[in-house]
Amino acid sequence: MAQKNNSYGNQSISSLKGADRVRKRPSVIFGSDGLEGCEHAVFEIMSNAIDEAREGHGDLITVTRFEDGSIQVEDQGRGCPVDWNEKEQRYNWELIFCEMYAGGKYKNNEGENYEYSLGLNGRGACATQYASEYMDVTIWRDGKKYTLHFRHGEVVGGLESAPADRKKTGTTIRWRPDLEVFTDIDVPESYFQDVLHRQAVVNRGVTFRLRVQRGGTFETTDYCYADGILDYVKELAGEDALTVPTFIETERRGRDRADKPEYKVKISAAFCFSNRVNDIEYYHNSSWLEHGGSPEHAVRTAFVYQINKYLKEKNLYKKGESAISFQDVQDCLVYVSSSFSTRTSYENQTKKAITNKFVSQAMTDFLKHYLEVYFLEKPEEAQKICQQVLVNKQ
């Protein structure tokens, strides 16, 4: 057994450089060095394509799952910038694929490039490249076709260009996650089905195409919701819901703290009530908030407040009866919200919850106001809702 070195001096401190910043500690970037982290790396590449589509550049995103474990994402966007960046004194392709914390989404609150973006940290494409066995990038832009090849986090051969073989622009990235980085790279088909379905829900009118290789053929499935979350709520509720599915939206400006910058929030929600099914889903900047955070707090507060207020005003509580809880409401609620903000505070890099105080406040106020008007204008539906909530409580 080698003798342990107990010295701890000036030469003991070192820094990770280049691809090692990801390859040696992938869980710091992706939340895990297992399958979940590998899946998050997939979403990092997809999110760039989604951002382009949301900005109006293309309405088709194609994701291919190959039998060898490699993945391909193709969009119809503007194509990644690749040429010399005078300000940074480096080529843009290097900044995007070889430099952590570099990208074009840092000034979204100032109206540049991407107003509402899934990724703001500037490390998704680079980190995924670093964590790949190989990555092949093809970019159509400015009448040219550019190609890049990376292996184990290092560029091979540099940028190559040729006259474009098609008129449209866009980016295609194919890569294979590295087993030297992740303990498992076999991303299941169900993951792709779930993610593409969810993205179709919150990006109305965009088609998300999944291609799955089976032998020498590819099985193709398209996901698209013309009216986004409203269509999805109708689908979830079916034809015998207690109330008609409703879509609402607003925009607000505010700040999380007096000394913090003001930012914009766009809020949309679709919901109805049912005595047969229930489902609640929150999305922010297209990311599914599995753990909710600010939107969940808003929904809990607003719905309980308004329904409880109605029950009290109509004297529907029995003497000495306790007030309703959110669980009583949740049991008959079908609700999907999709919010976007130009500044976002995620709970962590995996983006499963947001913590913006203003988002919570704005959404709470908006929902309270809307529900108050809704109950006044539709007394029959209000009565159905509140009676069902009481049934759930009992």
Side-chain angles (χ1 to χ4, degrees), residues 60-250:
L60 172 65
I61 295 171
T62 304
V63 179
T64 304
R65 179 183 187 270
F66 294 94
E67 285 185 329
D68 67 354
S70 62
I71 302 137
Q72 180 173 285
V73 176
E74 179 180 3
D75 67 44
Q76 299 175 333
R78 292 165 287 185
C80 301
V82 296
D83 289 331
W84 181 253
N85 187 319
E86 188 65 29
K87 180 179 66 175
E88 298 292 336
Q89 289 293 296
R90 292 183 69 180
Y91 283 97
N92 279 316
W93 69 263
E94 292 182 280
L95 293 170
I96 293 170
F97 294 103
C98 304
E99 186 59 59
M100 303 286 282
Y101 302 102
K105 304 176 185 178
Y106 289 120
K107 295 184 179 180
N108 66 309
N109 201 34
E110 300 170 26
E112 285 197 9
N113 297 317
Y114 301 92
E115 185 171 35
Y116 301 114
S117 171
L118 275 77
L120 297 174
N121 294 326
R123 60 186 185 183
C126 175
T128 302
Q129 189 277 111
Y130 280 161
S132 301
E133 178 185 326
Y134 70 85
M135 177 179 281
D136 294 323
V137 181
T138 306
I139 298 164
W140 289 267
R141 181 184 175 92
D142 301 327
K144 294 182 179 180
K145 176 183 177 181
Y146 299 94
T147 55
L148 286 161
H149 179 65
F150 301 91
R151 191 161 187 84
H152 298 297
E154 300 292 337
V155 65
V156 179
L159 180 70
E160 296 182 3
S161 66
D165 53 359
R166 69 182 199 186
K167 291 183 179 180
K168 293 183 180 180
T169 58
T171 302
T172 298
I173 300 177
R174 180 174 176 175
W175 78 102
R176 189 172 191 269
D178 201 335
L179 270 172
E180 294 179 5
V181 177
F182 300 107
T183 59
D184 188 352
I185 64 169
D186 187 19
V187 179
E189 185 178 337
S190 59
Y191 170 80
F192 294 98
Q193 293 169 338
D194 180 65
V195 170
L196 295 189
H197 173 260
R198 291 184 185 280
Q199 290 307 310
V201 166
V202 294
N203 291 284
R204 62 185 179 188
V206 178
T207 298
F208 290 81
R209 178 167 294 161
L210 175 61
R211 299 170 69 243
V212 178
Q213 185 179 26
R214 305 191 195 284
T217 62
F218 289 88
E219 183 179 297
T220 301
T221 306
D222 284 356
Y223 302 89
C224 184
Y225 287 84
D227 286 324
I229 59 175
L230 179 60
D231 280 350
Y232 184 43
V233 165
K234 290 178 179 178
E235 178 183 288
L236 290 170
E239 297 182 356
D240 55 352
L242 285 173
T243 63
V244 176
T246 300
F247 176 81
I248 56 177
E249 63 180 343
T250 189

Side-chain angles (χ1 to χ4, degrees), residues 346-358:
Y346 288 104
E347 191 174 71
N348 54 43
Q349 173 63 10
T350 55
K351 303 174 183 174
K352 293 185 178 180
I354 63 169
T355 59
N356 296 63
K357 289 185 178 180
F358 177 66

Side-chain angles (χ1 to χ4, degrees), residues 158-350:
L159 180 70
E160 296 182 3
S161 66
D165 53 359
R166 69 182 199 186
K167 291 183 179 180
K168 293 183 180 180
T169 58
T171 302
T172 298
I173 300 177
R174 180 174 176 175
W175 78 102
R176 189 172 191 269
D178 201 335
L179 270 172
E180 294 179 5
V181 177
F182 300 107
T183 59
D184 188 352
I185 64 169
D186 187 19
V187 179
E189 185 178 337
S190 59
Y191 170 80
F192 294 98
Q193 293 169 338
D194 180 65
V195 170
L196 295 189
H197 173 260
R198 291 184 185 280
Q199 290 307 310
V201 166
V202 294
N203 291 284
R204 62 185 179 188
V206 178
T207 298
F208 290 81
R209 178 167 294 161
L210 175 61
R211 299 170 69 243
V212 178
Q213 185 179 26
R214 305 191 195 284
T217 62
F218 289 88
E219 183 179 297
T220 301
T221 306
D222 284 356
Y223 302 89
C224 184
Y225 287 84
D227 286 324
I229 59 175
L230 179 60
D231 280 350
Y232 184 43
V233 165
K234 290 178 179 178
E235 178 183 288
L236 290 170
E239 297 182 356
D240 55 352
L242 285 173
T243 63
V244 176
T246 300
F247 176 81
I248 56 177
E249 63 180 343
T250 189
E251 283 193 6
R252 303 285 173 90
R253 296 192 71 93
R255 57 191 79 220
D256 293 325
R257 210 171 63 196
D259 61 333
K260 292 290 185 179
E262 185 180 74
Y263 62 93
K264 185 163 66 174
V265 177
K266 182 178 180 181
I267 300 167
S268 63
F271 69 92
C272 68
F273 287 82
S274 171
N275 58 7
R276 186 177 57 85
V277 297
N278 62 80
D279 188 46
I280 299 177
E281 297 178 18
Y282 309 104
Y283 297 84
H284 189 78
N285 289 0
S286 273
S287 288
W288 173 43
L289 302 180
E290 186 178 356
H291 304 313
S294 300
E296 181 180 20
H297 178 266
V299 169
R300 285 176 173 269
T301 302
F303 276 85
V304 170
Y305 171 84
Q306 187 57 44
I307 294 173
N308 183 54
K309 180 182 176 184
Y310 180 94
L311 291 171
K312 285 182 177 179
E313 290 175 349
K314 301 297 182 181
N315 295 315
L316 294 177
Y317 280 126
K318 296 177 183 178
K319 187 176 180 179
E321 184 177 6
S322 61
I324 60 165
S325 68
F326 183 66
Q327 185 62 55
D328 305 322
V329 178
Q330 181 175 311
D331 287 343
C332 58
L333 179 61
V334 180
Y335 176 97
V336 179
S337 72
S338 177
S339 54
F340 295 87
S341 64
T342 52
R343 291 180 67 90
T344 304
S345 298
Y346 288 104
E347 191 174 71
N348 54 43
Q349 173 63 10
T350 55

